[in-house]
């Protein structure tokens, strides 16, 4: 099996795709994104107790230049960038020193101040995080996060269309892609309306968009290794390397069932590739969790948690289409990916998303497919479901990171 897992963003042509799969140059709009829970209007809403100049309630197509670039800066923007910096400074990343992390953060921020789409995405992720830390301001902050993300995507599209020297901005494009993918995963698995079919549609949309955006950094992998991001790139590569050929106990029974199932060659190949990528994701988790007796799941994007964010990018578009068709085997693989999500439930970006996916897929498939879902449900049985407090939103994870 060749899952091509040396790195997530490889300089190679994309796999054959259907009409639904993204291609280089595709335009990503707000309609491409899963919608968050309805939020209150920002207009006229005070932020904390300090009067500020409100940000525009919407970003019109006619004004896609950065609000910051035009001097529309309010106290919320300032707090968001400060919060993002504080979180980055406190991030614990496996096998990456504090000095290396500091240098990477400094380089990213320098690019962000020169690249409006990256700045807007950083502010959007920061607003999303603050909306969890401050439940009383959740609606206001989620509204801001959505507007900033929509603006970031519009600015990114404009930049890609007008950029004739792509190697000059490989860092902002890579960081933007990474942040957008993480935020879209969070939005998809935590903002749910209870309708499983809608959730699946949103998850497949996330798979297509996050894979499509990463195509825009092809050809720049070596250039990225010459930047302060190099330690992070090498840690991510190391955590995945060789994992697709390792045995993952969590996937053992599923792999046996897939090999004995009556599948067409196209479906069988897509499932084999998706399962190989998933085994690599578990491999990344075990490398960190097994090396640290005090491991608590806090490494953010690299090392152990690399697989969580790499798997959706690495799986073939053919697998995404099988998920969209609600094929039982495809959903069973997705439930096994949810095991990994559940292990990082203390992360604010993941929360109870893994539990939801396992339980929803189990209900949807019914008792006939129970043997295919044995491992995911065994994972949940070891950890009782939390009891929600009346009137409070669903749990999003307790970790600051």
């Amino acid at each position: 099996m060749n899952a091509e897992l040396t790195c997530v963003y490889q300089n190679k042509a994309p796999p054959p795709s259907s009409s639904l799969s993204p291609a280089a140059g595709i335009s990503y709009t707000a309609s491409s994104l899963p919608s968050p829970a309805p939020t209150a209007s920002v207009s006229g809403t005070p932020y904390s107790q300090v009067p500020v100049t409100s940000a525009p309630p919407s970003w019109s197509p006619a004004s896609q230049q950065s609000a910051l670039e035009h001097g529309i800066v309010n106290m919320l923007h300032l707090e968001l960038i400060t919060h993002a910096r504080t979180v980055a400074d406190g991030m614990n990343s496996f096998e990456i020193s504090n000095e290396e992390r500091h240098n990477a953060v400094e380089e990213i921020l320098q690019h962000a101040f020169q690249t409006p789409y990256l700045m807007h995405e950083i502010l959007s992720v920061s607003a999303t995080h603050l909306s969890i830390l401050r439940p009383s301001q959740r609606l206001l902050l989620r509204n801001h996060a959505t507007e900033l993300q929509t603006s970031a995507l519009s600015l990114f599209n404009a930049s890609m269309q007008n950029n004739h020297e792509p190697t000059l901005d490989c860092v902002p494009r890579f960081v933007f892609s990474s942040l957008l993918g993480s935020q879209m995963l969070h939005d998809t698995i935590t903002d749910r309306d209870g309708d499983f079919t809608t959730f699946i549609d949103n998850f497949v949309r996330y798979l297509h968009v996050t894979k499509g955006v990463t195509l825009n950094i092809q050809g720049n992998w070596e250039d990225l290794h010459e930047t302060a991001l190099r330690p992070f790139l090498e840690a991510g590569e190391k955590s995945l390397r060789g994992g697709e050929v390792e045995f993952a106990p969590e996937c053992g029974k599923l792999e046996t069932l897939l090999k004995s199932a009556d599948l067409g060659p196209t479906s069988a190949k897509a499932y084999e590739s998706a399962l190989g990528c998933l085994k690599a994701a578990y491999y990344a988790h075990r490398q960190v969790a097994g090396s640290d007796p005090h491991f608590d799941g806090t490494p953010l994007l690299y090392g152990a948690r690399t697989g969580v964010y790499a798997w959706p990018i690495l799986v073939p578009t053919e697998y995404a289409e099988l998920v969209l068709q609600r094929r039982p085997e495809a959903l069973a693989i997705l439930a096994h990916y949810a095991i990994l999500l559940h292990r990082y439930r203390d992360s604010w970006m993941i929360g109870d998303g893994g539990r939801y996916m396992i339980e929803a897929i189990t209900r949807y498939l019914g008792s006939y497919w129970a043997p295919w879902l044995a491992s995911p449900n065994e994972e949940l049985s070891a950890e009782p479901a939390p009891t929600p407090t009346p009137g409070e939103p669903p749990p999003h994870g307790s970790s600051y990171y």
Side-chain angles (χ1 to χ4, degrees):
M1 183 194 310
N2 180 14
E4 296 180 323
L5 298 174
T6 301
C7 66
V8 177
Y9 309 102
Q10 297 193 45
N11 181 19
K12 62 185 182 67
S17 60
S18 73
S19 59
L20 283 178
S21 54
I26 191 171
S27 176
Y28 303 102
T29 64
S31 62
S32 301
L33 301 172
S35 300
T39 59
S41 172
V42 174
S43 179
T45 305
Y47 179 73
S48 299
Q49 302 299 318
V50 182
V52 298
T53 302
S54 296
S58 63
W59 299 94
S60 67
S63 82
Q64 293 185 352
Q65 293 298 316
S66 167
L68 301 180
E69 190 175 55
H70 281 85
I72 306 175
V73 179
N74 59 29
M75 296 298 290
L76 177 55
H77 292 140
L78 298 177
E79 179 159 15
L80 291 178
I81 192 63
T82 300
H83 179 66
R85 178 61 183 269
T86 300
V87 171
D89 285 341
M91 187 173 66
N92 173 25
S93 297
F94 182 59
E95 293 188 343
I96 296 174
S97 69
N98 290 338
E99 181 181 2
E100 290 171 330
R101 184 189 67 244
H102 174 78
N103 291 338
V105 170
E106 287 299 318
E107 181 162 344
I108 290 170
L109 287 177
Q110 289 302 314
H111 281 286
F113 283 118
Q114 300 297 324
T115 313
Y117 68 77
L118 177 57
M119 178 60 78
H120 281 216
E121 180 58 24
I122 290 173
L123 294 178
S124 179
V125 174
S126 183
T128 302
H129 187 203
L130 274 181
S131 73
I132 295 170
L133 298 180
R134 301 175 181 174
S136 64
Q137 295 177 330
R138 181 176 183 272
L139 298 183
L140 169 67
L141 290 164
R142 287 295 286 141
N143 194 305
H144 273 291
T146 300
E147 290 174 351
L148 287 162
Q149 186 187 69
T150 301
S151 178
L153 283 163
S154 297
L155 292 163
F156 178 78
N157 286 329
S159 176
M160 293 302 98
Q161 292 170 6
N162 299 327
N163 189 0
H164 302 296
E165 296 183 81
T167 58
L168 297 179
D169 66 349
C170 62
V171 171
R173 284 187 289 124
F174 173 77
V175 176
F176 170 81
S177 300
S178 300
L179 290 177
L180 178 67
S182 302
Q183 187 180 21
M184 284 190 64
L185 178 62
H186 166 81
D187 291 345
T188 302
I189 66 178
T190 63
D191 286 317
R192 312 179 300 262
D193 61 6
D195 182 1
F196 179 67
T197 59
T198 300
F199 171 82
I200 289 297
D201 290 342
N202 287 338
F203 193 87
V204 172
R205 187 176 297 115
Y206 153 68
L207 291 178
H208 284 312
V209 172
T210 192
K211 183 182 287 289
V213 171
T214 61
L215 296 180
N216 285 288
I217 63 169
Q218 286 187 355
N220 300 128
W221 195 247
E222 294 302 321
D223 296 317
L224 287 167
H225 274 73
E226 299 302 318
T227 71
L229 297 178
R230 180 173 182 170
F232 289 84
L233 304 180
E234 292 179 344
E237 293 170 354
K238 178 181 177 182
S239 67
L240 291 169
R241 188 179 298 123
E244 75 275 14
V245 299
E246 295 288 330
F247 174 70
E250 300 89 346
C251 302
K253 188 169 187 178
L254 176 64
E255 188 169 21
T256 300
L257 289 169
L258 282 171
K259 288 180 179 178
S260 62
D262 183 14
L263 302 170
T266 301
S267 297
K269 184 177 180 180
Y271 293 147
E272 181 183 22
S273 178
L275 189 61
C277 297
L278 186 56
K279 289 162 67 177
Y282 279 110
Y283 178 76
H285 167 78
R286 289 196 302 274
Q287 282 193 92
V288 179
S291 65
D292 184 356
H294 305 293
F295 175 72
D296 60 2
T298 57
L300 185 60
L301 296 178
Y302 298 90
R305 214 174 295 179
T306 297
V308 168
Y309 299 100
W311 184 81
I313 299 171
L314 293 169
V315 292
T317 54
E318 291 81 4
Y319 169 74
E321 292 169 22
L322 292 167
V323 174
L324 188 63
Q325 296 168 19
R326 279 68 159 170
R327 295 288 295 271
E329 300 88 355
L331 294 179
I333 294 174
L334 189 60
H336 283 71
Y337 169 65
I339 293 176
L340 202 57
L341 292 174
H342 185 64
R343 291 181 180 178
Y344 294 101
R345 57 192 175 276
D346 286 341
S347 163
W348 71 272
M349 279 192 170
I350 297 172
D352 68 339
R355 173 175 287 277
Y356 166 79
M357 290 169 65
I358 293 170
E359 292 178 344
I361 291 171
T362 299
R363 289 193 299 269
Y364 182 82
L365 293 182
S367 59
Y368 179 83
W369 291 92
W372 291 70
L373 302 172
S375 292
N377 283 291
E378 287 172 5
E379 186 81 14
L380 292 188
S381 65
E383 181 74 24
T387 303
T389 302
E392 290 189 359
H396 283 77
S398 58
S399 171
Y400 187 72
Y401 305 106

